[in-house]
C-alpha cells in the first residue's frame, strides 16, 4: 500500500493559511491514533533487560524492538562476535532460549513486537577450530551436524587470492566470496535454504515477530526470498542492503522479500542537520528530492545503527543536540518508517558491551539523566530511546499516526513546522538562536504540553504550554537547534 506523500513546501511564509481557518468553539478533540510504527534497536541489550524495558517502551509509544543476533556465536569480548554464528541454538551471551521466550511473552503482553537479527549469509571467520558460546565445536568450514564442506554447504569463490570480497562492483564476488573471511553459505542450494528456514521458524515458535536479514546484499534476492518464504505473512522482514552509490547491487532488488533498510536517509540527514537547512530533510525520499530512495511504504529509516555509529557517515549519540534534531526529523518524516537506535558508549570501535567473568553481557540500565548533554564513559548504556526529547517525539508520532491527507509542512527559513491535522503539530528550529513566532497549527483550541522539553504529569506540564487560540493560531518559542511538539494525547486542559 503506497502511503500518500503530502509534503507541501512553502518557503518564506511564516503564517500560511492551511487547513480550515476556523474551528467551531468547543469542538471535540480527536482521540490519539495509537500508531505502533516506531521501532527501536536495543543493541546488545540482554533478553531479560529487554523484557524489563518493554512496559516503558510501550508507554513511550514504541511498537517493536530489534534485538542483536540470538544464535550461538564465537567466544570473545568484541561486540561483533555475535555476527559469527557457530550453530542455530538460541543460546548466547545475551541470554538463553528460555529467557528469549520470556522476553517475547513479556513484550507481547504490553503490545511490543520483538524482531531478531538473523545472521544467515555466513558462519565464523576463524581460521583455527574452536568452541562456541553454547559448547558446540566448530572449524571454519565444518559445523558438526549442521554444515560441512564435504556436503557442499560453503562457497569457495576462487575469484580472489584469499576468497575474500575485494570489489563491490562485481556482483558475483559480493555474493559468493567471503565477507571479511566469514565462511559463506551456499544459499542458492536447497539444503542450506531449508535449514535456514528451520532456524527462522524456531524463532517464530519462540515468539519472534520478524527478522532483520543481516548482510542481505551478500545473498542473491531469490536466496533471501527462499529463506523467509515460510515466515507468517504478517512477519516483518528487514533486509540489510547498504546502499553504495557506485555499486551494481541495489536495495530495490530485495523488495520481493519484504521491507528494506534505507541507509541513504541517515547519511543525508547528517549534513542537513549540521548545515541547519532543515527543510531539506522533509524532501528526502520525496520525488523532488531524491529519486534514488526506496519506495516509502517499504522503507525503514534510521539516524544511525551499530555499524554506522562506528563509522563517520552518520550522526551518533556523541553529536548531542544534533543527534536529537535528526531523530526528531526522522520521527516527523512523511517518508518511510523510523527505527530509533540505542546502544552503549565506546571509544574503541571493537569494544563489546560490559560483560561478567564468563562473558555474559551485563543487563542494561539507563542513567536518570540520559540525554544529549550528558558526558558518557565507555561502556555506559546511552539509552537514546529514553532521552526525554526523543521519547517525547516517539509519543507524538504514536499520537498523530501515519502521515495522511492532512499532513502538511510549512517552512520559514530554517524553521520547519509539521502539521498532522487536529491530532498534532511539531516545529523544528535549525537556527543557533531561539525563534518566537505565531504559527497556524491546525489544532483545535486548547492548552497543549510540549513533549520535547516537558511532560504532562498529573495534569501539569513540566515544559512550555502551547496555547492554541480559536482558528488554530499559537505563539510559540522554539529553542535554538531544538523542537516543540504537541499532540491531542498531552493536553493540559484535556
Ligand atoms: C553486517 N551486516 O551486513 C553487520 O551489520 C556487521 O556489523 C557485521 O560485521 C557484518 N555484516 C557481518 O555479519 C561485524 C564487524 C566486523 C566483524 C564481523 C564478524 O563490523 O568487524 O569482523 O562482524 O564478526 C571481524 C573482524 C575482521 C575479521 C572477522 C572474522 O573485524 O577483521 O576478518 O571478524 O574473524
Ligand atoms: Ca554470500
Amino acid at each position: 500500500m503506497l502511503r500518500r506523500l503530502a509534503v507541501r513546501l512553502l518557503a518564506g511564509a511564516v503564517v500560511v493559511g492551511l487547513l480550515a481557518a476556523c474551528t467551531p468553539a468547543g469542538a471535540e478533540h480527536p482521540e490519539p491514533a495509537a500508531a505502533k510504527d516506531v521501532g527501536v534497536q536495543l543493541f546488545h541489550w540482554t533478553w531479560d533487560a529487554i523484557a524489563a524495558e518493554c512496559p516503558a517502551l510501550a508507554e513511550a509509544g514504541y511498537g517493536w524492538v530489534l534485538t542483536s543476533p540470538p544464535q550461538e556465536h564465537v567466544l570473545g569480548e568484541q561486540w561483533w562476535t555475535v555476527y559469527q554464528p557457530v550453530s542455530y541454538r538460541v543460546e548466547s551471551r545475551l541470554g538463553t532460549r528460555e529467557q528469549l521466550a520470556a522476553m517475547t511473552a513479556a513484550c507481547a503482553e504490553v503490545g511490543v513486537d520483538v524482531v531478531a537479527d538473523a545472521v544467515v549469509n555466513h558462519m565464523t571467520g576463524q581460521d583455527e577450530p574452536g568452541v562456541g558460546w553454547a559448547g558446540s565445536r566448530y572449524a571454519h568450514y565444518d559445523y558438526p551436524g549442521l554444515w560441512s564442506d564435504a556436503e557442499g554447504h560453503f562457497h569457495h569463490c576462487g575469484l580472489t587470492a584469499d576468497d575474500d570480497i575485494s570489489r563491490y562492483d562485481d556482483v558475483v564476488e559480493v555474493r559468493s566470496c567471503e565477507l571479511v573471511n566469514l565462511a559463506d553459505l551456499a544459499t542458492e542450494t536447497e539444503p542450506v535454504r531449508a535449514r535456514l528456514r528451520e532456524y527462522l521458524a524456531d524463532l517464530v515458535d519462540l515468539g519472534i515477530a520478524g527478522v532483520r536479514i543481516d548482510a542481505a546484499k551478500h545473498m542473491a534476492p531469490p536466496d533471501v526470498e527462499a529463506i523467509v518464504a515460510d515466515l507468517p505473512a504478517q512477519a516483518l522482514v528487514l533486509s540489510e542492503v547498504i546502499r553504495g552509490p557506485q555499486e551494481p547491487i541495489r536495495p530495490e532488488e530485495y523488495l520481493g522479500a519484504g521491507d528494506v533498510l534505507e541507509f541513504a536517509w541517515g547519511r543525508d540527514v547528517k549534513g542537513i542537520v549540521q548545515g541547519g537547512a532543515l527543510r531539506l530533510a522533509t524532501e528526502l525520499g520525496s520525488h523532488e528530492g531524491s529519486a534514488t530512495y526506496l519506495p516509502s511504504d517499504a522503507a525503514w529509516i534510521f539516524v544511525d545503527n551499530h555499524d554506522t555509529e562506528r563509522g563517520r557517515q552518520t550522526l551518533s549519540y556523541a553529536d548531542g543536540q544534533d543527534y536529537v534534531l535528526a531523530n526528531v526529523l526522522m520521527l516527523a518524516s512523511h517518508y518511510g518508517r523510523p527505527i530509533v537506535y540505542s546502544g552503549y558508549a565506546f571509544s574503541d570501535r571493537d569494544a563489546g558491551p560490559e560483560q561478567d567473568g564468563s562473558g555474559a553481557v551485563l543487563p542494561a540500565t539507563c542513567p536518570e539523566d540520559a540525554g544529549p548533554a550528558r558526558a558518557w564513559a565507555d561502556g555506559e548504556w546511552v539509552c537514546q530511546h529514553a532521552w526525554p526529547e526523543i521519547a517525547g517525539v516517539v509519543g507524538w508520532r504514536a499520537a498523530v499516526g501515519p502521515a495522511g491527507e492532512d499532513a502538511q509542512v510549512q517552512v520559514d527559513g530554517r524553521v520547519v513546522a509539521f502539521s498532522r491535522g487536529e491530532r498534532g503539530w511539531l516545529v523544528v528550529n535549525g537556527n543557533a538562536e531561539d525563534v518566537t513566532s505565531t504559527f497556524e497549527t491546525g489544532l483545535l483550541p486548547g492548552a497543549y504540553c510540549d513533549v520535547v522539553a516537558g511532560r504532562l504529569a498529573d495534569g501539569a506540564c513540566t515544559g512550555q504550554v502551547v496555547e492554541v487560540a480559536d482558528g488554530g493560531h499559537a505563539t510559540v518559542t522554539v529553542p535554538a537547534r531544538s523542537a516543540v511538539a504537541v499532540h491531542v494525547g498531552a493536553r493540559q486542559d484535556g
Side-chain angles (χ1 to χ4, degrees):
M1 175 194 63
L2 222 102
R3 225 186 296 147
R4 233 177 73 77
L5 265 186
V7 184
R8 226 142 285 163
L9 298 167
L10 305 162
V14 178
V15 177
V16 178
L18 88 157
L19 305 170
C22 36
T23 37
E28 281 283 310
H29 287 86
E31 289 295 317
K36 286 185 42 173
D37 72 347
V38 183
V40 55
Q41 179 182 358
L42 293 180
F43 180 62
H44 268 289
W45 278 51
T46 60
W47 311 155
D48 285 357
I50 293 175
E53 190 71 359
C54 262
L57 296 177
E59 172 81 22
Y62 291 99
W64 58 274
V65 178
L66 172 62
T67 73
S68 287
Q71 86 297 318
E72 180 178 14
H73 51 82
V74 298
L75 301 176
E77 286 174 14
Q78 300 90 338
W79 64 268
W80 39 254
T81 55
V82 296
Y83 286 97
Q84 297 191 35
V86 168
S87 78
Y88 302 117
R89 288 180 61 188
V90 178
E91 193 78 31
S92 77
R93 65 181 183 189
L94 297 172
T96 64
R97 183 177 178 86
E98 290 69 34
Q99 286 168 317
L100 185 134
M103 162 182 70
T104 60
C107 293
E109 207 155 293
V110 291
V112 175
D113 286 341
V114 180
V115 173
D117 198 346
V119 183
V120 292
N121 170 66
H122 55 260
M123 298 299 282
T124 74
Q126 309 295 317
D127 292 325
E128 298 300 321
V131 177
W133 174 267
S136 304
R137 304 204 154 272
Y138 70 89
H140 201 178
Y141 304 108
D142 189 23
Y143 301 81
L146 183 59
W147 309 126
S148 71
D149 251 349
E151 292 173 87
H153 293 143
F154 291 103
H155 289 144
H156 295 281
C157 71
L159 298 171
T160 58
D162 50 7
D163 278 353
D164 272 9
I165 300 165
S166 66
R167 297 174 51 135
Y168 275 78
D169 57 1
D170 183 329
V171 176
V172 176
E173 208 175 299
V174 171
R175 290 178 174 156
S176 65
C177 293
E178 295 177 352
L179 171 62
V180 292
N181 200 36
L182 301 162
D184 203 60
L185 287 166
T187 46
E188 72 283 10
T189 66
E190 185 47 31
V192 169
R193 291 174 172 184
R195 184 63 187 86
L196 293 173
R197 276 196 292 269
E198 228 180 275
Y199 168 46
L200 300 192
D202 186 38
L203 294 178
V204 170
D205 282 347
L206 290 169
I208 292 294
V211 287
R212 167 187 183 269
I213 300 294
D214 180 68
K217 183 195 281 184
H218 302 279
M219 295 174 278
D223 300 4
V224 178
E225 288 164 25
I227 291 164
V228 303
D230 288 349
L231 289 175
Q234 74 280 6
L236 183 61
V237 174
L238 290 175
S239 290
E240 186 228 14
V241 188
I242 302 174
R243 190 183 285 285
Q246 309 303 332
E247 293 180 27
I249 299 177
R250 316 299 303 160
E252 287 75 8
E253 294 168 37
Y254 293 81
L255 292 169
D259 293 349
V260 181
L261 295 164
E262 179 51 87
F263 277 72
W265 196 92
R267 289 176 194 157
D268 289 345
V269 89
K270 175 182 180 179
I272 292 171
V273 165
Q274 290 176 334
L278 304 184
R279 167 183 63 80
L280 298 173
T282 69
E283 292 171 21
L284 297 177
S286 73
H287 293 299
E288 309 84 81
S290 37
T292 60
Y293 273 51
L294 286 158
S296 179
D297 61 333
W300 289 85
I301 60 175
F302 45 94
V303 175
D304 60 335
N305 71 12
H306 65 285
D307 287 322
T308 74
E309 73 167 345
R310 287 171 169 75
R312 297 201 172 269
Q313 291 194 330
T314 66
L315 296 167
S316 76
Y317 73 94
D319 294 292
Q321 194 58 32
D322 282 1
Y323 188 68
V324 168
L325 261 184
N327 273 278
V328 171
L329 288 165
M330 170 176 73
L331 291 161
S333 175
H334 297 185
Y335 172 76
R337 283 167 289 172
I339 306 175
V340 172
Y341 177 73
S342 190
Y344 57 85
F346 63 92
S347 41
D348 170 4
R349 182 211 183 264
D350 293 327
E354 288 192 331
Q355 298 157 38
D356 70 13
S358 73
V361 173
L362 297 177
T365 50
C366 292
E368 287 278 315
D369 61 344
R374 195 176 190 280
W376 299 94
D378 283 355
E380 281 184 309
W381 298 95
V382 180
C383 297
Q384 291 98 313
H385 70 285
W387 289 11
E389 301 86 345
I390 294 176
V393 181
V394 168
W396 179 87
R397 183 168 176 116
V400 302
E405 305 255 332
D406 54 6
Q408 304 261 359
V409 177
Q410 286 173 274
V411 179
D412 174 27
R414 299 177 156 220
V415 176
V416 183
F418 298 79
S419 179
R420 294 291 179 84
E422 295 176 348
R423 287 210 170 97
W425 181 81
L426 182 152
V427 58
V428 290
N429 178 8
N431 296 294
E433 307 83 38
D434 296 359
V435 167
T436 300
S437 189
T438 298
F439 298 88
E440 184 81 37
T441 68
L443 295 171
L444 295 178
Y448 297 77
C449 183
D450 168 30
V451 295
V452 175
R455 276 301 182 279
L456 193 63
D458 299 324
C461 180
T462 59
Q464 180 179 186
V465 175
V466 173
E467 299 279 358
V468 176
D470 283 349
H473 298 91
T475 301
V476 179
T477 297
V478 197
R481 313 274 311 155
S482 191
V484 167
V486 293
H487 61 80
V488 279
R491 286 190 298 120
Q492 199 169 40
D493 53 2

